[in-house]
Coordinates of all heavy atoms in Angstrom, one line a residue:
M1 N -4.0 -23.5 -25.0 CA -2.9 -23.7 -24.1 C -3.1 -25.0 -23.4 O -4.2 -25.4 -22.9 CB -2.8 -22.6 -23.1 CG -2.2 -21.3 -23.6 SD -1.9 -20.2 -22.2 CE -2.4 -18.7 -22.9
N2 N -2.0 -25.8 -23.2 CA -2.1 -27.0 -22.5 C -1.9 -26.7 -21.0 O -1.7 -25.5 -20.6 CB -1.1 -28.0 -22.9 CG 0.4 -27.7 -22.7 OD1 0.7 -27.0 -21.7 ND2 1.3 -28.1 -23.6
K3 N -2.0 -27.6 -20.1 CA -2.0 -27.4 -18.7 C -0.7 -26.9 -18.1 O -0.6 -26.5 -17.0 CB -2.5 -28.6 -17.9 CG -1.6 -29.8 -18.0 CD -2.1 -31.0 -17.3 CE -1.2 -32.2 -17.3 NZ -1.6 -33.3 -16.6
H4 N 0.4 -27.0 -18.9 CA 1.7 -26.6 -18.4 C 2.2 -25.3 -18.9 O 3.3 -24.8 -18.6 CB 2.8 -27.7 -18.8 CG 2.5 -29.0 -18.1 ND1 2.7 -29.1 -16.7 CD2 2.1 -30.2 -18.6 CE1 2.3 -30.4 -16.4 NE2 2.0 -31.0 -17.5
T5 N 1.4 -24.6 -19.7 CA 1.7 -23.3 -20.2 C 0.9 -22.2 -19.5 O -0.3 -22.5 -19.1 CB 1.6 -23.2 -21.8 OG1 0.2 -23.4 -22.1 CG2 2.5 -24.1 -22.5
M6 N 1.4 -21.1 -19.4 CA 0.6 -20.0 -18.8 C 0.9 -18.7 -19.6 O 1.9 -18.6 -20.3 CB 1.0 -19.8 -17.3 CG 2.4 -19.5 -17.0 SD 2.8 -19.2 -15.3 CE 2.8 -20.8 -14.6
S7 N 0.0 -17.8 -19.4 CA 0.1 -16.5 -20.1 C 1.3 -15.7 -19.4 O 1.7 -16.0 -18.3 CB -1.2 -15.7 -20.0 OG -1.4 -15.2 -18.7
T8 N 1.7 -14.7 -20.1 CA 2.8 -13.8 -19.6 C 2.4 -13.2 -18.2 O 3.2 -13.2 -17.3 CB 3.1 -12.7 -20.6 OG1 3.5 -13.3 -21.8 CG2 4.3 -11.9 -20.1
G9 N 1.1 -12.7 -18.2 CA 0.6 -12.1 -16.9 C 0.6 -13.1 -15.8 O 1.0 -12.8 -14.6
E10 N 0.2 -14.4 -16.0 CA 0.2 -15.4 -15.0 C 1.7 -15.7 -14.6 O 1.9 -15.9 -13.4 CB -0.5 -16.7 -15.5 CG -1.9 -16.5 -15.7 CD -2.6 -17.7 -16.5 OE1 -1.8 -18.4 -17.2 OE2 -3.7 -18.0 -16.2
A11 N 2.6 -15.7 -15.5 CA 4.0 -16.0 -15.2 C 4.6 -14.9 -14.3 O 5.3 -15.2 -13.4 CB 4.8 -16.2 -16.5
I12 N 4.2 -13.7 -14.6 CA 4.7 -12.6 -13.8 C 4.2 -12.6 -12.4 O 4.9 -12.5 -11.4 CB 4.4 -11.2 -14.5 CG1 5.3 -11.1 -15.8 CG2 4.7 -10.0 -13.5 CD1 4.9 -9.9 -16.6
K13 N 2.9 -12.9 -12.3 CA 2.2 -13.0 -11.0 C 2.9 -14.2 -10.2 O 3.1 -14.0 -9.0 CB 0.7 -13.2 -11.1 CG 0.0 -12.0 -11.5 CD -1.5 -12.2 -11.6 CE -2.2 -11.0 -12.1 NZ -3.6 -11.2 -12.3
A14 N 3.1 -15.3 -10.8 CA 3.8 -16.4 -10.2 C 5.2 -16.1 -9.7 O 5.6 -16.4 -8.6 CB 3.8 -17.6 -11.1
F15 N 5.9 -15.3 -10.5 CA 7.3 -14.9 -10.2 C 7.2 -14.0 -8.9 O 8.0 -14.2 -8.0 CB 7.9 -14.2 -11.4 CG 9.2 -13.6 -11.1 CD1 10.4 -14.3 -11.0 CD2 9.3 -12.2 -10.8 CE1 11.6 -13.8 -10.8 CE2 10.6 -11.6 -10.5 CZ 11.7 -12.4 -10.5
L16 N 6.4 -13.0 -9.0 CA 6.2 -12.0 -7.9 C 5.9 -12.7 -6.6 O 6.4 -12.4 -5.5 CB 5.2 -10.9 -8.2 CG 5.6 -10.0 -9.3 CD1 4.5 -9.0 -9.6 CD2 6.9 -9.2 -9.0
K17 N 5.0 -13.7 -6.7 CA 4.5 -14.4 -5.5 C 5.7 -15.3 -5.0 O 5.9 -15.4 -3.8 CB 3.3 -15.3 -5.8 CG 2.7 -15.9 -4.6 CD 1.4 -16.6 -4.9 CE 0.8 -17.2 -3.7 NZ -0.6 -17.7 -3.9
A18 N 6.4 -16.0 -5.9 CA 7.4 -16.9 -5.5 C 8.6 -16.2 -4.8 O 9.2 -16.7 -3.8 CB 8.0 -17.6 -6.7
Y19 N 8.8 -14.9 -5.2 CA 9.9 -14.2 -4.6 C 9.4 -13.1 -3.6 O 10.2 -12.3 -3.2 CB 10.8 -13.5 -5.7 CG 11.6 -14.5 -6.4 CD1 11.2 -15.1 -7.6 CD2 12.9 -14.9 -5.9 CE1 12.0 -16.0 -8.2 CE2 13.6 -15.8 -6.5 CZ 13.2 -16.4 -7.7 OH 14.0 -17.3 -8.4
R20 N 8.2 -13.3 -3.2 CA 7.5 -12.4 -2.2 C 7.7 -10.9 -2.5 O 8.1 -10.1 -1.6 CB 8.0 -12.7 -0.8 CG 7.7 -14.1 -0.4 CD 8.1 -14.4 1.0 NE 7.8 -15.8 1.4 CZ 8.6 -16.6 1.9 NH1 9.8 -16.2 2.2 NH2 8.2 -17.8 2.2
L21 N 7.5 -10.5 -3.8 CA 7.7 -9.2 -4.2 C 6.4 -8.4 -4.3 O 6.4 -7.2 -4.6 CB 8.4 -9.1 -5.5 CG 9.8 -9.7 -5.5 CD1 10.4 -9.7 -6.9 CD2 10.7 -8.8 -4.6
E22 N 5.2 -9.1 -4.1 CA 3.9 -8.5 -4.3 C 3.8 -7.2 -3.4 O 3.3 -6.2 -3.9 CB 2.8 -9.5 -4.0 CG 2.8 -10.6 -5.0 CD 1.9 -11.8 -4.5 OE1 2.1 -12.1 -3.3 OE2 1.1 -12.3 -5.3
D23 N 4.1 -7.3 -2.1 CA 4.0 -6.2 -1.2 C 4.9 -5.0 -1.6 O 4.5 -3.9 -1.4 CB 4.2 -6.6 0.2 CG 3.1 -7.4 0.9 OD1 2.0 -7.4 0.3 OD2 3.2 -7.9 2.0
K24 N 6.1 -5.3 -2.1 CA 7.0 -4.3 -2.5 C 6.5 -3.5 -3.7 O 6.6 -2.3 -3.8 CB 8.4 -4.8 -2.8 CG 9.1 -5.3 -1.6 CD 9.4 -4.1 -0.7 CE 10.1 -4.5 0.6 NZ 10.3 -3.4 1.5
I25 N 5.9 -4.2 -4.6 CA 5.3 -3.6 -5.8 C 4.1 -2.7 -5.4 O 4.0 -1.5 -5.8 CB 4.8 -4.6 -6.8 CG1 5.9 -5.5 -7.3 CG2 4.0 -3.9 -8.0 CD1 6.9 -4.7 -8.2
L26 N 3.3 -3.2 -4.5 CA 2.1 -2.4 -4.0 C 2.6 -1.2 -3.1 O 2.0 -0.2 -3.2 CB 1.2 -3.4 -3.2 CG -0.2 -2.9 -2.9 CD1 -0.9 -2.4 -4.2 CD2 -1.0 -4.0 -2.3
E27 N 3.7 -1.4 -2.4 CA 4.2 -0.3 -1.6 C 4.7 0.8 -2.5 O 4.4 2.0 -2.2 CB 5.4 -0.8 -0.8 CG 6.1 0.2 0.1 CD 7.2 -0.3 0.9 OE1 7.0 -1.4 1.6 OE2 8.3 0.3 0.9
A28 N 5.3 0.5 -3.6 CA 5.7 1.6 -4.6 C 4.5 2.3 -5.1 O 4.5 3.5 -5.3 CB 6.5 0.9 -5.7
K29 N 3.4 1.5 -5.4 CA 2.2 2.2 -5.9 C 1.6 3.1 -4.9 O 1.2 4.2 -5.2 CB 1.2 1.1 -6.3 CG 1.5 0.4 -7.6 CD 0.4 -0.6 -7.9 CE 0.7 -1.5 -9.1 NZ -0.4 -2.5 -9.3
L30 N 1.6 2.6 -3.6 CA 1.0 3.4 -2.5 C 1.8 4.7 -2.3 O 1.2 5.8 -2.1 CB 0.9 2.6 -1.2 CG -0.1 1.4 -1.3 CD1 0.2 0.5 -0.1 CD2 -1.5 2.0 -1.2
K31 N 3.1 4.6 -2.4 CA 4.0 5.8 -2.2 C 3.6 6.8 -3.3 O 3.6 8.0 -3.1 CB 5.4 5.5 -2.3 CG 5.9 4.8 -1.0 CD 7.4 4.4 -1.0 CE 7.8 3.8 0.3 NZ 9.2 3.4 0.2
S32 N 3.4 6.3 -4.6 CA 3.1 7.3 -5.7 C 1.7 7.9 -5.5 O 1.5 8.9 -6.1 CB 3.2 6.5 -7.0 OG 2.2 5.6 -7.2
L33 N 0.8 7.3 -4.8 CA -0.5 7.8 -4.6 C -0.6 8.8 -3.4 O -1.7 9.3 -3.2 CB -1.5 6.6 -4.3 CG -1.8 5.7 -5.5 CD1 -2.6 4.5 -5.1 CD2 -2.4 6.5 -6.6
C34 N 0.5 9.0 -2.7 CA 0.4 9.8 -1.5 C -0.1 11.2 -1.7 O -1.0 11.6 -1.0 CB 1.9 9.9 -0.9 SG 1.9 10.8 0.7
D35 N 0.4 11.9 -2.7 CA -0.1 13.2 -3.0 C -1.6 13.2 -3.3 O -2.4 14.1 -2.9 CB 0.6 13.8 -4.2 CG 2.0 14.4 -3.8 OD1 2.3 14.5 -2.6 OD2 2.8 14.7 -4.7
N36 N -2.1 12.2 -4.1 CA -3.5 12.2 -4.5 C -4.4 11.9 -3.3 O -5.5 12.5 -3.2 CB -3.7 11.1 -5.6 CG -3.1 11.4 -6.9 OD1 -2.6 12.5 -7.1 ND2 -3.0 10.4 -7.7
V37 N -4.0 11.0 -2.4 CA -4.9 10.6 -1.4 C -4.8 11.4 -0.1 O -5.8 11.8 0.5 CB -4.6 9.1 -1.0 CG1 -5.4 8.7 0.2 CG2 -4.9 8.2 -2.2
L38 N -3.5 11.8 0.3 CA -3.3 12.5 1.5 C -3.2 14.0 1.2 O -3.4 14.8 2.1 CB -2.1 12.0 2.2 CG -2.1 10.6 2.7 CD1 -0.8 10.2 3.4 CD2 -3.3 10.4 3.7
G39 N -2.7 14.4 0.1 CA -2.5 15.8 -0.3 C -1.0 16.1 -0.2 O -0.3 15.5 0.6
A40 N -0.6 17.1 -1.0 CA 0.8 17.4 -1.0 C 1.4 18.0 0.3 O 2.5 17.6 0.7 CB 1.1 18.4 -2.2
A41 N 0.6 18.8 1.0 CA 1.1 19.4 2.2 C 1.4 18.3 3.3 O 2.3 18.4 4.0 CB 0.1 20.4 2.7
I42 N 0.5 17.3 3.4 CA 0.6 16.2 4.3 C 1.8 15.4 3.9 O 2.6 15.0 4.8 CB -0.7 15.4 4.5 CG1 -1.7 16.3 5.2 CG2 -0.4 14.2 5.3 CD1 -3.1 15.7 5.2
C43 N 1.9 15.1 2.7 CA 3.0 14.2 2.2 C 4.4 14.8 2.4 O 5.4 14.0 2.6 CB 2.8 13.9 0.7 SG 1.5 12.7 0.5
K44 N 4.5 16.1 2.5 CA 5.8 16.7 2.9 C 6.2 16.3 4.3 O 7.4 16.3 4.6 CB 5.7 18.2 2.7 CG 5.7 18.6 1.3 CD 5.6 20.1 1.1 CE 5.5 20.5 -0.3 NZ 5.3 21.9 -0.5
K45 N 5.3 16.0 5.2 CA 5.6 15.7 6.5 C 5.7 14.2 6.8 O 5.9 13.7 7.9 CB 4.5 16.3 7.5 CG 4.5 17.8 7.4 CD 4.3 18.4 8.7 CE 4.1 19.9 8.5 NZ 5.2 20.7 9.0
V46 N 5.4 13.4 5.7 CA 5.5 11.9 5.8 C 7.0 11.6 5.7 O 7.6 12.0 4.7 CB 4.7 11.3 4.7 CG1 4.9 9.8 4.7 CG2 3.2 11.5 5.0
T47 N 7.5 10.8 6.6 CA 8.9 10.5 6.6 C 9.1 9.1 6.0 O 10.2 8.8 5.5 CB 9.6 10.5 8.0 OG1 8.8 9.7 8.9 CG2 9.6 12.0 8.5
D48 N 8.1 8.2 6.1 CA 8.3 6.9 5.5 C 6.9 6.3 5.3 O 5.9 6.5 6.1 CB 9.1 6.0 6.5 CG 9.4 4.6 5.8 OD1 9.7 4.6 4.6 OD2 9.3 3.6 6.5
I49 N 6.8 5.5 4.3 CA 5.6 4.7 4.0 C 6.0 3.3 3.7 O 6.9 3.0 2.9 CB 4.8 5.2 2.8 CG1 4.3 6.6 3.0 CG2 3.7 4.3 2.4 CD1 3.6 7.2 1.9
S50 N 5.4 2.3 4.5 CA 5.8 0.9 4.2 C 4.5 0.1 4.2 O 3.5 0.5 4.7 CB 6.7 0.4 5.2 OG 6.2 0.4 6.5
F51 N 4.5 -1.1 3.5 CA 3.4 -1.9 3.3 C 3.8 -3.3 3.5 O 4.7 -3.8 2.8 CB 2.7 -1.7 1.9 CG 1.5 -2.4 1.7 CD1 0.3 -2.0 2.3 CD2 1.5 -3.6 1.0 CE1 -0.9 -2.8 2.1 CE2 0.3 -4.3 0.8 CZ -0.9 -3.9 1.3
R52 N 3.0 -4.1 4.3 CA 3.3 -5.5 4.5 C 2.0 -6.1 5.1 O 1.4 -5.6 6.0 CB 4.5 -5.6 5.5 CG 4.9 -7.1 5.6 CD 6.1 -7.2 6.4 NE 6.5 -8.6 6.5 CZ 7.6 -9.1 6.7 NH1 8.6 -8.3 6.9 NH2 7.9 -10.4 6.7
N53 N 1.7 -7.3 4.5 CA 0.5 -8.1 5.0 C -0.7 -7.2 5.1 O -1.4 -7.3 6.1 CB 0.9 -8.7 6.3 CG 2.0 -9.7 6.2 OD1 2.2 -10.3 5.2 ND2 2.8 -9.8 7.3
Q54 N -1.0 -6.5 4.1 CA -2.3 -5.7 4.0 C -2.3 -4.5 5.0 O -3.3 -4.0 5.3 CB -3.5 -6.5 4.1 CG -3.6 -7.6 2.9 CD -4.9 -8.4 3.0 OE1 -5.3 -8.8 4.1 NE2 -5.4 -8.7 1.9
T55 N -1.2 -4.2 5.6 CA -1.1 -3.1 6.6 C -0.1 -2.0 6.0 O 1.0 -2.3 5.7 CB -0.5 -3.6 7.9 OG1 -1.4 -4.7 8.4 CG2 -0.5 -2.5 8.9
L56 N -0.7 -0.8 6.0 CA 0.1 0.3 5.5 C 0.6 1.1 6.8 O -0.2 1.4 7.7 CB -0.8 1.3 4.7 CG -0.1 2.6 4.2 CD1 1.0 2.2 3.2 CD2 -1.1 3.5 3.6
T57 N 1.9 1.3 6.9 CA 2.4 2.1 8.0 C 2.9 3.4 7.5 O 3.7 3.5 6.5 CB 3.6 1.3 8.7 OG1 3.1 0.0 9.1 CG2 4.1 2.1 9.9
I58 N 2.4 4.5 8.1 CA 2.8 5.8 7.7 C 3.5 6.5 8.8 O 2.9 6.6 9.9 CB 1.6 6.7 7.3 CG1 0.8 6.0 6.1 CG2 2.0 8.1 6.9 CD1 -0.6 6.6 5.8
S59 N 4.8 6.9 8.6 CA 5.5 7.6 9.7 C 5.5 9.1 9.3 O 5.7 9.5 8.2 CB 7.0 7.1 9.7 OG 7.0 5.8 10.0
V60 N 5.2 9.9 10.3 CA 5.1 11.4 10.1 C 6.0 12.1 11.1 O 6.3 11.6 12.2 CB 3.6 11.9 10.2 CG1 2.8 11.3 9.1 CG2 3.0 11.6 11.5
S61 N 6.4 13.3 10.7 CA 7.3 14.1 11.6 C 6.6 15.0 12.6 O 7.2 15.7 13.3 CB 8.2 14.9 10.7 OG 7.5 15.8 9.9
S62 N 5.3 15.0 12.5 CA 4.5 16.0 13.4 C 3.5 15.2 14.3 O 2.7 14.4 13.7 CB 3.8 17.0 12.5 OG 2.8 17.7 13.2
A63 N 3.5 15.5 15.5 CA 2.6 14.9 16.5 C 1.2 15.3 16.2 O 0.2 14.5 16.2 CB 2.9 15.2 17.9
A64 N 1.0 16.6 15.8 CA -0.4 17.1 15.5 C -0.9 16.4 14.2 O -2.1 16.0 14.2 CB -0.3 18.6 15.3
L65 N -0.1 16.2 13.2 CA -0.5 15.5 12.0 C -0.8 14.0 12.3 O -1.7 13.5 11.8 CB 0.6 15.6 10.9 CG 0.3 14.9 9.6 CD1 -1.0 15.4 9.0 CD2 1.5 15.1 8.7
K66 N 0.0 13.4 13.2 CA -0.2 12.0 13.6 C -1.6 11.9 14.1 O -2.4 11.0 13.8 CB 0.8 11.5 14.6 CG 0.5 10.1 15.0 CD 1.5 9.7 16.1 CE 1.2 8.3 16.6 NZ 1.9 7.9 17.7
Q67 N -2.0 12.8 15.0 CA -3.3 12.8 15.7 C -4.4 13.0 14.6 O -5.4 12.3 14.6 CB -3.4 13.9 16.7 CG -4.7 13.9 17.5 CD -4.7 12.6 18.4 OE1 -3.7 12.1 18.8 NE2 -5.9 12.2 18.7
E68 N -4.2 13.9 13.7 CA -5.2 14.1 12.6 C -5.4 12.9 11.8 O -6.5 12.5 11.4 CB -4.8 15.3 11.8 CG -5.8 15.7 10.7 CD -5.3 16.9 9.9 OE1 -4.6 17.8 10.5 OE2 -5.6 17.0 8.7
L69 N -4.3 12.3 11.4 CA -4.4 11.1 10.5 C -5.0 9.9 11.3 O -5.7 9.0 10.6 CB -3.0 10.7 10.0 CG -2.4 11.7 9.0 CD1 -1.0 11.2 8.6 CD2 -3.2 11.8 7.8
E70 N -4.8 9.8 12.6 CA -5.4 8.7 13.4 C -7.0 8.8 13.2 O -7.6 7.7 13.1 CB -5.1 8.9 14.8 CG -3.7 8.4 15.2 CD -3.5 6.9 15.2 OE1 -4.4 6.2 15.2 OE2 -2.3 6.5 15.1
F71 N -7.5 10.0 13.1 CA -9.0 10.1 13.0 C -9.4 9.8 11.6 O -10.6 9.6 11.3 CB -9.4 11.5 13.4 CG -9.3 11.7 14.9 CD1 -8.5 12.8 15.3 CD2 -10.0 11.0 15.8 CE1 -8.3 13.0 16.7 CE2 -9.8 11.2 17.2 CZ -9.0 12.2 17.6
S72 N -8.5 9.8 10.6 CA -8.9 9.6 9.2 C -8.5 8.3 8.6 O -8.5 8.1 7.4 CB -8.1 10.7 8.4 OG -8.5 12.0 8.8
K73 N -8.2 7.3 9.5 CA -7.7 6.0 9.0 C -8.7 5.3 8.0 O -8.3 4.9 6.9 CB -7.4 5.1 10.1 CG -6.2 5.3 10.9 CD -6.0 4.3 12.0 CE -4.7 4.5 12.7 NZ -4.6 3.5 13.8
S74 N -10.0 5.3 8.3 CA -10.9 4.6 7.5 C -11.1 5.3 6.1 O -11.2 4.7 5.1 CB -12.3 4.5 8.1 OG -12.8 5.7 8.4
T75 N -11.0 6.6 6.1 CA -11.0 7.4 4.9 C -9.8 7.1 4.0 O -9.9 7.0 2.8 CB -11.2 8.9 5.2 OG1 -12.3 9.1 6.0 CG2 -11.3 9.7 3.9
I76 N -8.6 7.1 4.7 CA -7.4 6.8 4.0 C -7.5 5.4 3.3 O -7.1 5.2 2.1 CB -6.2 6.9 4.9 CG1 -6.0 8.3 5.4 CG2 -4.9 6.3 4.3 CD1 -5.0 8.5 6.5
I77 N -7.9 4.4 4.1 CA -8.1 3.1 3.5 C -9.0 3.0 2.3 O -8.7 2.5 1.3 CB -8.6 2.1 4.6 CG1 -7.5 1.9 5.7 CG2 -9.0 0.7 4.0 CD1 -7.9 1.2 6.9
D78 N -10.2 3.7 2.5 CA -11.2 3.7 1.4 C -10.6 4.4 0.1 O -10.8 3.8 -1.0 CB -12.5 4.4 1.8 CG -13.2 3.6 2.9 OD1 -13.0 2.4 3.0 OD2 -14.1 4.2 3.6
N79 N -10.0 5.5 0.3 CA -9.4 6.3 -0.8 C -8.3 5.5 -1.5 O -8.2 5.5 -2.8 CB -9.0 7.6 -0.4 CG -10.2 8.5 -0.1 OD1 -11.3 8.3 -0.4 ND2 -9.9 9.6 0.7
L80 N -7.4 4.9 -0.8 CA -6.3 4.1 -1.4 C -6.8 2.9 -2.1 O -6.4 2.7 -3.3 CB -5.3 3.7 -0.3 CG -4.4 4.7 0.3 CD1 -3.6 4.2 1.5 CD2 -3.4 5.2 -0.8
N81 N -7.8 2.2 -1.5 CA -8.3 1.0 -2.2 C -9.1 1.4 -3.5 O -9.0 0.7 -4.5 CB -9.2 0.2 -1.3 CG -8.4 -0.6 -0.3 OD1 -7.2 -0.9 -0.5 ND2 -8.9 -0.8 0.9
K82 N -9.7 2.6 -3.4 CA -10.4 3.1 -4.6 C -9.4 3.4 -5.7 O -9.6 3.0 -6.9 CB -11.3 4.3 -4.3 CG -12.2 4.8 -5.4 CD -12.9 6.1 -5.1 CE -13.7 6.0 -3.8 NZ -14.4 7.3 -3.5
E83 N -8.4 4.1 -5.4 CA -7.3 4.4 -6.3 C -6.6 3.2 -6.9 O -6.3 3.1 -8.1 CB -6.2 5.3 -5.7 CG -6.7 6.7 -5.4 CD -6.7 7.6 -6.7 OE1 -6.0 7.3 -7.6 OE2 -7.6 8.5 -6.7
L84 N -6.4 2.1 -6.1 CA -5.8 0.9 -6.5 C -6.7 0.0 -7.3 O -6.3 -0.8 -8.1 CB -5.3 0.1 -5.3 CG -4.1 0.7 -4.6 CD1 -3.8 0.0 -3.3 CD2 -2.8 0.8 -5.4
G85 N -8.0 0.2 -7.1 CA -9.0 -0.7 -7.8 C -9.2 -2.0 -7.2 O -9.8 -2.9 -7.7
T86 N -8.6 -2.2 -6.0 CA -8.7 -3.5 -5.3 C -8.8 -3.2 -3.8 O -8.4 -2.1 -3.3 CB -7.5 -4.5 -5.5 OG1 -6.3 -3.8 -5.0 CG2 -7.3 -4.8 -7.0
I87 N -9.1 -4.2 -3.0 CA -9.1 -4.1 -1.5 C -7.7 -4.7 -1.1 O -7.6 -5.8 -0.8 CB -10.2 -4.9 -0.9 CG1 -11.6 -4.6 -1.5 CG2 -10.2 -4.7 0.6 CD1 -12.4 -3.6 -0.8
S88 N -6.7 -3.8 -1.2 CA -5.4 -4.3 -0.8 C -5.0 -3.8 0.6 O -4.2 -4.5 1.3 CB -4.4 -3.7 -1.8 OG -4.6 -4.2 -3.1
V89 N -5.4 -2.6 1.0 CA -5.1 -2.1 2.3 C -6.2 -2.3 3.3 O -7.4 -1.9 3.0 CB -4.8 -0.6 2.2 CG1 -4.5 0.0 3.6 CG2 -3.7 -0.3 1.2
K90 N -6.0 -3.1 4.3 CA -7.0 -3.4 5.3 C -6.8 -2.6 6.6 O -7.7 -2.5 7.4 CB -7.0 -4.9 5.6 CG -7.4 -5.7 4.3 CD -8.4 -6.7 4.6 CE -8.8 -7.4 3.3 NZ -9.6 -8.4 3.4
K91 N -5.5 -2.2 6.9 CA -5.2 -1.6 8.1 C -4.2 -0.5 7.9 O -3.3 -0.6 7.1 CB -4.7 -2.6 9.1 CG -4.3 -2.1 10.5 CD -3.8 -3.3 11.4 CE -3.5 -2.8 12.7 NZ -2.9 -3.9 13.6
V92 N -4.3 0.6 8.7 CA -3.3 1.7 8.6 C -2.8 1.9 10.0 O -3.5 2.0 11.0 CB -3.9 3.0 8.1 CG1 -3.0 4.2 8.2 CG2 -4.4 2.8 6.6
I93 N -1.5 2.0 10.1 CA -0.8 2.4 11.4 C -0.1 3.7 11.1 O 0.7 3.9 10.2 CB 0.2 1.3 11.8 CG1 -0.5 0.0 12.0 CG2 1.0 1.7 13.0 CD1 0.5 -1.2 12.2
I94 N -0.3 4.6 12.1 CA 0.3 5.9 12.0 C 1.4 6.0 13.1 O 1.1 5.8 14.2 CB -0.7 7.1 12.2 CG1 -1.9 6.9 11.3 CG2 0.0 8.4 12.0 CD1 -1.6 7.0 9.8
K95 N 2.6 6.3 12.7 CA 3.7 6.4 13.7 C 4.3 7.8 13.7 O 4.3 8.5 12.8 CB 4.9 5.5 13.3 CG 4.6 4.0 13.4 CD 5.8 3.2 13.1 CE 5.7 1.8 13.5 NZ 6.9 1.0 13.2

């Protein structure tokens, strides 16, 4: 390949970066991992999951669950990053 051609994978990554879609793609992956990482019972009480700038925000409908998740932030981060295969989540906010 010459210096002006790129692979399909590189082109897709460049497109996602140019249109700032990387976080949205990762957010969709994180939502799909909810049951595996948090468990089905907890995910039923999750009202929203959003991801931006390496920060995952989880909104829950229960104050007791919010308190429980506050104590589990580092475990949540470790398990999500393990599932993703990269260090993508650096911070978790529970609302």
Side-chain angles (χ1 to χ4, degrees):
M1 282 191 223
N2 67 34
K3 66 180 181 177
H4 295 292
T5 59
M6 60 175 76
S7 70
T8 305
E10 291 171 333
I12 291 170
K13 285 180 184 178
F15 173 81
L16 293 174
K17 187 173 184 173
Y19 287 93
R20 297 185 180 128
L21 298 173
E22 295 165 315
D23 281 352
K24 289 296 180 186
I25 299 291
L26 199 49
E27 182 178 308
K29 286 181 186 177
L30 291 167
K31 286 179 180 180
S32 72
L33 292 173
C34 183
D35 281 348
N36 293 349
V37 175
L38 298 178
I42 292 174
C43 285
K44 287 180 183 177
K45 301 220 184 247
V46 171
T47 57
D48 189 41
I49 295 176
S50 61
F51 183 76
R52 187 173 182 156
N53 298 327
Q54 298 181 322
T55 302
L56 178 67
T57 303
I58 303 172
S59 300
V60 295
S61 60
S62 165
L65 180 58
K66 178 183 176 189
Q67 187 67 28
E68 184 179 327
L69 291 176
E70 284 288 341
F71 292 119
S72 303
K73 283 182 179 181
S74 63
T75 304
I76 293 168
I77 292 169
D78 292 342
N79 290 341
L80 285 171
N81 286 331
K82 187 185 305 180
E83 287 283 331
L84 292 170
T86 63
I87 309 262
S88 299
V89 180
K90 299 227 174 173
K91 183 179 177 183
V92 172
I93 298 172
I94 311 294
K95 289 185 172 182

